[in-house]
Amino acid sequence: MARPALSPQQLVLAAAGVAPRLGHLVLAALTFLAAALYVPDRFAALVLVAVAGTLAALAAGLRALAAGRRRAEAALDAAAAAVAQHDPAPCLATGPDGEITWTNAAAGERFGAVQGGTLARALGDLFANPAAVVFRLQNRAAATGAAQEEVVTRRGHVRLAAHRLGPRGCFWRFEELTDRSSGGGRGADSLGLPMLTASRTGTILYMNEALRNLLGGRVKTLDRIFTRLPLRSGEEVEVAAAAGPVRALAGEIEGPAGRREIYLLPVAEGEPSPSPSPLLAATPAEVGIEGLPVPVVRVQPDGRTLAANRLARDLLGLAPEAALPVLPELVDGLGRPLCDWLAEAAAGRGSVRPEVLRVSRRDDEVFVQVALRPVAEAGRTVLVAVLTDATALKTLEAQFVQSQKMQAIGQLAGGIAHDFNNLLTAIAGHCDLLLLRHDPSDQDYADLSQIQQNANRAASLVGQLLAFSRKQTLSPEILDLRDLLADLIHLLGRLVGQRVTLTLGADPELPAIRADRRQFEQVLMNLVVNARDAMPAGGEIRIETETLHLAEELRRDSAVVAPGDYVVVRVCDAGEGIPPERLAKIFEPFFTTKRPGEGTGLGLSMAYGIVKQSGGFIFVDSTVGVGTTFSLMFPAHHGPPLAAPAAVARAAPEPPPPAPEAAILLVEDEAPVRAFAARALRLRGYRVIEAENAEAALEVLADPGVAVDLVVTDVVMPGMDGPSWVREALRERPALRVVFVSGYAEEALSDAHTRIPNAVFLPKPFSLGELTATVQRQLH
């Protein structure tokens, strides 16, 4: 039979295609050898035979290497198995179908002869639903190589670890977590105190023997045990025991994966009785509290401390072997004698609810919630105090109280601003009227000037209250800080005195900012004065400015600074520094580190309010013993210069020349303010029509025969407010011009009066000259 004429290249390609499909070098060698039989060219056939021989030799070498590797792996597996065999922790190996293929000695003692069975069946007597735990860990081990989980068993806590073994096998290891057991190394079943472990949803995962005896068996959910849910640690609960309802004190701690451990302590049933409740029978009177996972103190009604477990000692700041002082020396802050509270709890009088007290023997500030319950012990009543760390709760409460205080101060400032500024307007205004009738040479002129000066000081005090509540009236303008600081540095130099050096480092290319010039100067003065007071022995205060560009938002403290260009002003001192625990409180109103009488605690609060109201930010950096730096950040203004604000007018003390006679409707509910304003305007030649409220003003304007050129009206009045009645009046008289006056800030009514044309705002208190100048500008 003739052989087909195939080229050597075709035969080599055919053989190369066969080899991968056979998956074995020996088959590839046989293929090349068979191909050599069909090659007519003797040289090509010899080449194919040589390739076949090479592949065969390579296959033999690889087979020898594989055999050696298998022997090494077998030896390694044997060594690993020998180590695992003597591991004190139970170890098992499972195959692809979950069947147990190997166990060590510890697993044999723990689970018995379980080889050939499934792991889920072997764990069935230890905890609920083991199949789900095994399936979850096996999948995680297959994905990541290893996984572990803490499981609550009927003997305590166990850490179950799974390791991937081969393609689909798994190696399991059980680690006893004896330190989590309640009996100080014993399982929970050996604890005489009833306890259970529950899931987040209230499913009971484990009950120890003491609780099973109390209930007469196992139950599945918390609502089958407790008549009232949810439970609160330290409170008294009613347990549905087999022999009838009994009272207990519940102690709860958070466990892993949302689990909760609940412990029940006995509660005396009224007066001590010779026939104790089932709970007291299950728990001896002398309860061993050292192993409890909650801080517990046993105390007598007179305050003497009998015992405290380790967790309670740690929380109260007591050394392990230190003698126990009386409870009133450990905690304070009740507001009444602590022994009275203990006596009431022991006698069962009143509603003895948990109290939050401060730990007095620790350097740091720690608060504990103390829940007291009486327990009958050998014919006497002893109090069991369950402690809960309430420091975080107290901190949140303090922050909430602080926010309420700030809000209350803001509301107080707004109320004071309106009522007090009305009084100041009347006082200062009538004082101006008196000054018009007295010459400076009169003996009463100096007294009147004193009244006027003190009225101005009172107005400044109201302005400070409005500043930190961010409700003051600002007159923003475009400020060039280079010129402003150059002018202000001389005044600040006189404030700091001779022992302190004041230096200014200004950025020559500093852009402008938009702020109230007077208020910005006040902020800077407050910061410089504080820096001076921080250096009683003298030193250097540096005022620095720079331009800062933020490419992305800056998050610091509780502030978020948007990207953009900012002007930064820093006031740096080399003083004593501010401790970290005080740093978070320095902007709080009335908080001061100075001695009584040296500071009001309003300076930094006012600075904070002014900066925030101006759209800026204020930050502080301080190191004790090194110094403090306050940083002010204002958005840079790159637009054209703005005209000076005209909405708030402050005139010179001397009024402008009288205007031609014009009719002015004056609407003010405060009679003294209305009387002063009416006299002041009449003195300047105006015809004044008075109205005590908005309704009376609308009646005046309802008469078309009454000519009115300008309205001066209060903003906040009984009935209709100023903006509301003015809008109604403009329907019939659209050309009417308006001057709003108020003791509140302009921002409080900006949304209302900005929609009213030809309206300006004059804040109270105002002087005679300020009122007449504003009226004249509005008329012209």
Side-chain angles (χ1 to χ4, degrees):
M1 182 177 179
R3 292 182 294 180
L6 297 175
S7 67
Q9 292 84 356
Q10 292 175 323
L11 292 172
V12 169
L13 290 175
V18 171
R21 286 195 298 268
L22 293 176
H24 203 287
L25 289 175
V26 175
L27 293 178
L30 293 175
T31 303
F32 278 101
L33 186 60
L37 299 176
Y38 291 91
V39 178
D41 187 350
R42 180 179 294 276
F43 178 75
L46 290 176
V47 171
L48 291 175
V49 171
V51 171
T54 302
L55 290 175
L58 182 59
L62 291 177
R63 178 174 294 176
L65 289 175
R69 182 177 180 180
R70 283 195 297 272
R71 287 193 297 271
E73 289 179 349
L76 185 60
D77 289 345
V83 172
Q85 183 66 32
H86 297 91
D87 192 336
C91 300
L92 305 92
T94 57
D97 55 357
E99 181 182 353
I100 298 175
T101 59
W102 174 86
T103 60
N104 69 351
E109 294 178 3
R110 178 72 180 268
F111 304 109
V114 293
Q115 254 180 294
T118 63
L119 182 60
R121 179 177 298 178
L123 300 178
D125 292 335
L126 291 180
F127 55 90
N129 198 13
V133 178
V134 171
F135 179 76
R136 182 168 58 248
L137 287 175
Q138 196 165 5
N139 285 343
R140 286 165 51 193
T144 62
Q148 67 178 20
E149 187 172 320
E150 290 187 14
V151 183
V152 180
T153 73
R154 293 184 175 90
R155 299 185 182 181
H157 287 75
V158 165
R159 180 179 291 117
L160 180 59
H163 301 266
R164 187 172 57 203
L165 192 64
R168 296 178 61 190
C170 204
F171 178 83
W172 302 85
R173 187 174 187 273
F174 296 81
E175 182 182 357
E176 299 280 355
L177 301 179
T178 55
D179 57 317
R180 297 289 299 275
S181 301
S182 299
R186 302 170 295 165
D189 271 335
S190 62
L191 179 67
L193 199 67
M195 68 83 60
L196 62 87
T197 303
S199 68
R200 186 183 289 108
T201 60
T203 301
I204 296 176
L205 305 175
Y206 168 71
M207 297 166 50
N208 72 345
E209 184 178 359
L211 185 56
R212 293 196 300 270
N213 293 338
L214 177 66
L215 301 178
R218 292 191 178 94
V219 295
K220 294 183 178 179
T221 56
L222 290 177
D223 57 2
R224 301 292 300 275
I225 301 177
F226 305 104
T227 57
R228 187 180 63 183
L229 293 174
L231 297 178
R232 291 180 176 85
S233 184
E235 291 191 355
E236 186 178 300
V237 297
E238 187 175 277
V239 180
V246 296
R247 292 185 299 132
L249 187 64
E252 181 178 331
I253 61 173
E254 293 292 331
R259 297 186 180 97
R260 298 178 293 162
E261 293 182 3
I262 301 172
Y263 297 82
L264 302 178
L265 280 72
V267 174
E269 302 285 348
E271 295 296 325
S273 172
S275 57
S277 68
L279 183 59
L280 291 176
T283 308
E286 294 294 335
V287 180
I289 63 174
E290 185 60 38
L292 295 180
V294 291
V296 176
V297 177
R298 292 174 56 246
V299 60
Q300 289 186 347
D302 60 1
R304 285 182 294 173
T305 306
L306 300 177
N309 65 355
R310 179 182 57 83
L311 295 178
R313 286 176 175 270
D314 293 343
L315 189 58
L316 296 173
L318 295 173
E321 303 300 329
L324 291 173
V326 294
L327 192 63
E329 294 182 5
L330 294 174
V331 292
D332 57 35
L334 183 61
R336 61 187 179 114
L338 198 64
C339 290
D340 292 351
W341 182 49
L342 298 177
E344 291 178 4
R349 297 194 304 268
S351 175
V352 184
R353 64 180 186 276
E355 297 283 356
V356 177
L357 306 175
R358 188 181 67 86
V359 178
S360 55
R361 290 211 168 198
R362 290 184 55 156
D363 296 333
D364 52 344
E365 199 170 52
V366 175
F367 293 88
V368 293
Q369 184 185 49
V370 183
L372 296 176
R373 287 300 180 270
V375 177
E377 290 188 3
R380 63 174 182 170
T381 300
V382 173
L383 294 171
V384 175
V386 178
L387 311 183
T388 305
D389 191 347
T391 306
L393 178 64
K394 199 69 175 178
T395 302
L396 289 175
E397 180 186 359
Q399 293 174 352
F400 178 69
V401 170
Q402 176 61 26
S403 66
Q404 283 188 318
K405 183 172 71 173
M406 290 291 290
Q407 182 181 6
I409 291 174
Q411 293 174 348
L412 175 65
I416 288 178
H418 183 259
D419 297 333
F420 196 45
N421 280 333
N422 276 332
L423 297 175
L424 291 175
T425 302
I427 294 171
H430 285 91
C431 186
D432 287 342
L433 293 174
L434 287 173
L435 286 172
L436 290 177
R437 300 200 301 267
H438 288 74
D439 188 82
S441 60
D442 292 347
Q443 61 180 3
D444 295 334
Y445 192 88
D447 296 333
L448 293 173
S449 298
Q450 280 293 324
I451 295 173
Q452 188 180 50
Q453 291 175 12
N454 283 280
N456 292 334
R457 289 182 59 190
S460 176
L461 177 61
V462 174
Q464 290 186 30
L465 288 172
L466 290 173
F468 69 72
S469 64
R470 284 179 266 173
K471 292 184 178 180
Q472 63 176 340
T473 299
L474 297 182
S475 301
E477 57 183 294
I478 304 305
L479 300 179
D480 187 338
L481 292 186
R482 295 170 297 184
D483 297 337
L484 187 150
L485 292 175
D487 296 338
L488 191 61
I489 197 72
H490 302 291
L491 172 63
L492 296 176
R494 290 194 295 269
L495 280 177
V496 299
Q498 298 180 351
R499 291 186 296 179
V500 176
T501 303
L502 184 64
T503 59
L504 173 63
D507 184 353
E509 303 297 329
L510 200 67
I513 67 171
R514 186 173 184 269
D516 185 305
R517 180 187 183 97
R518 181 174 59 87
Q519 299 294 350
F520 178 84
E521 292 175 349
Q522 184 66 51
V523 170
L524 208 60
M525 289 174 62
N526 287 348
L527 296 179
V528 169
V529 169
N530 283 347
R532 177 203 65 189
D533 295 342
M535 300 184 296
E540 180 185 10
I541 300 175
R542 301 187 314 279
I543 300 177
E544 304 170 351
T545 62
E546 70 166 339
T547 305
L548 177 64
H549 175 75
L550 294 180
E552 55 186 17
E553 68 178 21
L554 169 67
R555 292 182 176 270
R556 177 170 178 183
D557 302 332
S558 58
V560 179
V561 185
D565 293 330
Y566 291 87
V567 173
V568 182
V569 181
R570 296 188 182 91
V571 178
C572 313
D573 66 63
E576 302 170 351
I578 305 172
E581 63 271 13
R582 294 184 175 180
L583 205 58
K585 300 180 180 180
I586 59 172
F587 294 119
E588 295 179 2
F590 307 116
F591 178 81
T592 179
T593 58
K594 300 178 182 178
R595 291 190 297 269
E598 294 185 357
T600 63
L602 293 178
L604 289 178
S605 297
M606 183 174 64
Y608 177 84
I610 292 172
V611 172
K612 296 295 289 185
Q613 193 176 359
S614 302
F617 302 88
I618 181 169
F619 302 111
V620 57
D621 300 282
S622 184
T623 303
V624 176
V626 177
T628 303
T629 298
F630 283 89
S631 301
L632 311 177
M633 293 180 63
F634 294 92
H637 181 79
H638 297 293
L642 298 182
V648 180
R650 292 296 183 189
E654 288 297 326
E661 183 177 350
I664 297 176
L665 176 59
L666 175 62
V667 187
E668 172 62 62
D669 63 307
E670 288 286 337
V673 177
R674 188 172 67 248
F676 151 67
R679 287 183 59 189
L681 293 173
R682 289 188 179 106
L683 283 175
R684 296 296 170 242
Y686 299 112
R687 182 168 58 89
V688 180
I689 305 171
E690 298 183 40
E692 63 179 358
N693 52 45
E695 290 76 13
L698 289 174
E699 289 181 7
V700 172
L701 294 178
D703 185 357
V706 177
V708 174
D709 300 298
L710 177 71
V711 170
V712 178
T713 177
D714 195 5
V715 174
V716 179
M717 296 181 293
M720 296 181 66
D721 60 21
S724 298
W725 84 261
V726 168
R727 275 193 295 269
E728 186 171 333
L730 288 176
R731 297 173 186 172
E732 300 297 331
R733 300 179 183 237
L736 198 64
R737 295 176 177 272
V738 183
V739 175
F740 286 110
V741 296
S742 178
Y744 288 112
E746 183 184 4
E747 283 74 8
L749 55 119
S750 58
D751 292 339
H753 90 268
T754 50
R755 294 192 296 267
I756 299 176
N758 301 320
V760 296
F761 179 77
L762 178 64
K764 296 178 182 178
F766 50 78
S767 66
L768 185 151
E770 291 167 348
L771 173 62
T772 55
T774 304
V775 167
Q776 186 179 24
R777 275 194 296 269
Q778 274 295 86
L779 289 173
H780 299 283

